Amino acid sequence: MAEMMELIKSRRSLRAPYDRGRPVEPEKLAQILEAARWSPTAHNMQNFEIVVVDDPGVLDAIARIERPVSETFIRENYAQLSFSEEELLQRKTGVLGSMFPPSWRRPDFRLDELDAEEVAAMRRPLPASPLLLVVVYDPSRRAPASEGDFLGIVSLGCVMENMWLATESLGIAMHIVSSLSSGGEVKEILGIPKRLTIAFSCRLGYPESPPPTYLRVRREVADFTHHNRYRD
Ligand SMILES: Cc1cc2nc3c(=O)[nH]c(=O)nc-3n(C[C@H](O)[C@H](O)[C@H](O)COP(=O)(O)O)c2cc1C
């Protein structure tokens, strides 16, 4: 149990560039896919497919895709930012503002008012990695009687966590890149049929240099636990 808790707590997002010259070993990739295979899914629908991308040309084509950020994202992101470690420790949710370009940290952000430098900062290229796993949601394998296939979507989170814990136990870094899910370009490059949706993509690999550390916070157990009756 102690080991499992250690694994759960040490799993983290590693957003730095990964060494393109150091591939993820095939046997480790096989174990990550095996972890995905045994994920719990609602009604055992196994409503996912995984595209393994390790071809440098395909990785480059995906990295070149522009990933526009919406004003809605910036506005809602701003509400979750802390501007110091002390503030983040106090809030216990959200992320540090220093993760984002300066223009994203302004309450009055307006896309149409950015100067050229700020626009360039928003087009940050996808950090390097030798491997990208694109997890695809198949809505036709729907959980029975689940409105909006809510349970099917929850199931994809189980797939993500199984994969993430497997990478952590294998000493491989992982970074979820949600922005590759929107727009059709990744689907087009990978030949993913229109009827399927990209659930999430993750970069995998070994960091180019020692990974940066950053403050990670969580609410206390007592903050989200309700005994016998929900209390506001
Ligand atoms: C469904 C989901 C989507 C996420 N999308 C992104 C993303 O697009 N970019 C990113 O850097 N992190 C993404 N993350 C990572 C979270 O920001 C991260 O898990 C959270 O801040 C806690 O940090 P930790 O993973 O280091 O514990 C995502 C996580 C989940 C579960």
Side-chain angles (χ1 to χ4, degrees), residues 11-13 15 160 164 175-178 214 216 218:
R11 179 222 53 78
R12 69 179 189 112
S13 300
R15 300 181 174 91
M160 180 192 284
W164 214 337
H175 171 204
I176 306 288
V177 191
S178 301
Y214 61 90
R216 297 174 63 234
R218 293 295 191 267

Side-chain angles (χ1 to χ4, degrees), residues 96-167:
L96 272 177
S98 51
M99 279 174 53
F100 300 100
S103 58
W104 299 28
R105 298 179 232 151
R106 287 202 313 245
D108 56 346
F109 177 92
R110 287 270 312 268
L111 255 180
D112 54 2
E113 286 177 359
L114 295 183
D115 63 29
E117 205 177 309
E118 289 173 323
V119 170
M122 290 188 62
R123 294 210 186 104
R124 291 179 300 174
L126 191 64
S129 72
L131 180 64
L132 188 71
L133 298 182
V134 179
V135 178
V136 178
Y137 164 53
D138 181 352
S140 71
R141 280 186 264 166
R142 191 176 157 274
S146 170
E147 205 179 319
D149 199 20
F150 185 76
L151 296 177
I153 289 162
V154 170
S155 304
L156 297 166
C158 298
V159 177
M160 180 192 284
E161 183 69 350
N162 263 25
M163 292 167 67
W164 214 337
L165 291 174
T167 60

Side-chain angles (χ1 to χ4, degrees), residues 41 44 53 66 127 130 191 206 208:
T41 52
N44 195 21
V53 187
E66 288 216 350
Y206 298 96
E208 278 175 0

Side-chain angles (χ1 to χ4, degrees), residues 27-48:
E27 60 280 10
K28 290 191 178 177
L29 171 60
Q31 288 186 63
I32 295 162
L33 296 173
E34 187 70 8
R37 177 182 174 223
W38 283 101
S39 305
T41 52
H43 215 68
N44 195 21
M45 291 308 292
Q46 301 172 49
N47 58 349
F48 61 93

